[in-house]
């Protein structure tokens, strides 16, 4: 029998998620919940956290009882208070998680245009907040083709219809309200891929936070690649999807660092299942020490982002 260490007791504990939720609420309070009136953004986070629970439960991402996926999501999101005020990022986060929940139900089902439509409709709504998310579209079709094995001509056209529907609905509103130029300007940003490598727009909080999340993603990825044979084939495909989308988001940050905040949000979503799998399903003394180090780094980085002034590079 494997030894249950601190990391396993926390990962399998029924009170872990409520405790982390209270911690996150305190961080949001310190980050300006009342002063900046961030109640809507907090509500979005609450719904997103519930959806992360559903993402884990509906797909059995971790083969034991554990709330580490949602706990990791709350801890990492609360670690970046510079994301708190943005309603657009909160909407993007919610839509991207919902997209995953619906899309994963199409696994090995090439005759699921309904689910595909609703999944990509969520992505289309998310693109209203961050239109560059449409750059992921060709790669998400590859995910459907090679990992979910759900790509077909019906599902392809359902995805096109779903992702464009928000724009078809908003276009008449923009015309009637006289905001057509703003609507066109938003959509035309997808064709603007310049300038590249503009790192002078970043500050130390952005960089340090992203680097830490990437380190967690690397740890989780290495662990999963070594231990994936213990999971069912379906779960392997889902985790490979997280790895691919997270890696693409990181490449996007490298190319266009001016979009680091929404892309950090996407990387966090894809990192949480990977690091949660590592925390919940390892039992050695070394991994237990690493878990304690991760917790300490999250606390220190949260305090750093809250109270240390930012410096531009």
């Amino acid at each position: 029998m494997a030894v249950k260490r601190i990391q396993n007791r926390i990962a399998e504990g029924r009170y872990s998620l409520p405790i982390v939720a209270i911690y996150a609420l305190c961080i949001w309070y310190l980050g300006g919940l009342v002063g900046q009136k961030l109640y809507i953004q907090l509500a979005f986070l609450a719904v997103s956290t519930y959806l992360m629970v559903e993402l884990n439960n509906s797909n059995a991402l971790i083969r034991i009882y554990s709330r580490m996926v949602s706990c990791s999501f709350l801890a990492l999101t609360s670690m970046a208070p510079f994301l708190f005020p943005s309603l657009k990022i909160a909407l993007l986060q919610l839509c991207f998680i919902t997209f995953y929940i619906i899309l994963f139900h199409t696994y090995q089902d090439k005759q699921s245009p309904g689910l595909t439509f609703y999944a990509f409709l969520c992505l289309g709504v998310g693109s209203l907040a961050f239109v560059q998310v449409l750059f992921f579209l060709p790669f998400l079709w590859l995910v459907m083709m090679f990992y979910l094995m759900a790509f077909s001509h019906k599902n392809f056209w359902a995805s096109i219809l779903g992702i464009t529907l928000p724009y078809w609905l908003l276009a008449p509103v923009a015309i009637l309200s006289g905001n057509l130029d703003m609507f066109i300007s938003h959509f035309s940003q997808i064709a603007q891929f310049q300038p590249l490598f503009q790192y002078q727009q970043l500050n130390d909080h952005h960089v340090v936070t992203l680097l830490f999340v990437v380190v967690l993603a690397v740890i989780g990825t290495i662990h999963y690649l070594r231990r994936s044979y213990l999971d069912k084939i379906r779960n392997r495909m889902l985790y490979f999807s997280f790895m691919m989308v997270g890696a693409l988001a990181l490449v996007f940050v490298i190319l266009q660092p001016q979009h680091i905040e929404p892309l950090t949000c996407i990387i966090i979503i894809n990192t949480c299942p990977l690091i949660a799998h590592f925390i919940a399903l390892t039992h050695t003394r070394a991994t237990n020490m690493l878990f304690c180090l991760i917790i300490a780094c999250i606390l220190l980085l949260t305090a750093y982002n809250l109270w240390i002034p930012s410096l531009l590079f």
Side-chain angles (χ1 to χ4, degrees):
M1 176 181 287
V3 177
K4 282 197 174 184
R5 304 184 188 275
I6 293 175
Q7 70 176 93
N8 308 113
R9 297 181 187 278
I10 292 176
E12 299 172 26
R14 295 187 177 274
Y15 298 105
S16 297
L17 182 56
I19 291 172
V20 175
I22 294 172
Y23 159 81
L25 186 60
C26 294
I27 297 301
W28 272 72
Y29 178 79
L30 295 172
L33 173 63
V34 177
Q36 299 181 47
K37 294 181 171 45
L38 305 178
Y39 305 115
I40 297 177
Q41 290 88 331
L42 181 61
F44 271 90
L45 177 65
V47 177
S48 296
T49 303
Y50 169 77
L51 291 176
M52 289 298 284
V53 174
E54 182 60 27
L55 179 65
N56 178 38
N57 291 346
S58 61
N59 297 287
L61 293 178
I62 300 179
R63 57 183 180 270
I64 62 172
Y65 175 87
S66 177
R67 290 285 181 252
M68 262 305 105
V69 174
S70 47
C71 288
S72 300
F73 173 75
L74 265 181
L76 295 182
T77 302
S78 300
M79 183 182 69
F82 52 82
L83 299 178
F84 293 178
S86 176
L87 191 57
K88 289 185 177 180
I89 290 179
L91 175 62
L92 174 65
Q93 191 175 59
L94 178 64
C95 291
F96 214 94
I97 298 170
T98 308
F99 166 77
Y100 271 150
I101 291 174
I102 301 174
L103 186 70
F104 287 167
H105 283 295
T106 68
Y107 179 73
Q108 288 189 336
D109 187 358
K110 295 184 178 182
Q111 303 298 319
S112 54
L115 288 173
T116 303
F117 167 79
Y118 288 118
F120 282 86
L121 174 61
C122 293
L123 200 65
V125 173
S127 73
L128 296 177
F130 178 58
V131 71
Q132 286 80 5
V133 79
L134 297 178
F135 283 127
F136 289 91
L137 189 56
F139 302 100
L140 294 173
W141 286 329
L142 292 177
V143 166
M144 292 182 66
M145 185 181 299
F146 294 109
Y147 295 148
L148 301 182
M149 290 162 281
F151 193 79
S152 66
H153 70 280
K154 286 185 178 180
N155 288 354
F156 169 77
W157 290 113
S159 69
I160 293 293
L161 182 59
I163 206 162
T164 57
L165 182 61
Y167 294 97
W168 285 108
L169 295 177
L170 288 178
V173 177
I175 293 172
L176 293 175
S177 61
N179 293 322
L180 185 59
D181 290 342
M182 184 181 299
F183 179 82
I184 295 174
S185 174
H186 169 81
F187 195 69
S188 63
Q189 292 177 46
I190 194 67
Q192 300 172 6
F193 205 67
Q194 297 288 341
L196 301 176
F197 310 114
Q198 298 297 305
Y199 298 109
Q200 66 271 17
Q201 301 183 35
L202 305 183
N203 62 50
D204 53 321
H205 293 282
H206 290 139
V207 174
V208 174
T209 301
L210 178 61
L211 287 177
F212 179 70
V213 175
V214 170
V215 169
L216 294 185
V218 171
I219 292 171
T221 298
I222 293 174
H223 157 75
Y224 195 80
L225 292 177
R226 293 180 63 246
R227 310 293 289 179
S228 62
Y229 66 91
L230 295 172
D231 278 341
K232 296 179 180 179
I233 294 176
R234 182 180 187 276
N235 274 29
R236 295 181 213 171
M237 297 299 103
L238 303 189
Y239 274 95
F240 292 154
S241 301
F242 293 134
M243 294 176 198
M244 178 178 176
V245 176
L248 287 170
L250 179 59
V251 171
F252 197 166
V253 171
I254 294 172
L255 293 175
Q256 290 199 305
Q258 63 267 31
H259 301 307
I260 191 171
E261 292 190 356
L263 291 170
T264 296
C265 159
I266 292 175
I267 294 173
I268 286 175
I269 293 170
N270 288 278
T271 297
C272 290
L274 294 167
I275 195 63
H277 194 282
F278 167 80
I279 292 171
L281 297 174
T282 55
H283 304 83
T284 67
R285 181 179 298 178
T287 60
N288 189 63
M289 293 175 62
L290 182 56
F291 168 74
C292 295
L293 179 61
I294 289 171
I295 297 299
C297 288
I298 289 175
L299 294 174
L300 289 173
L301 190 51
T302 303
Y304 176 77
N305 286 334
L306 278 173
W307 293 305
I308 304 300
S310 62
L311 299 173
L312 291 174
F313 284 96

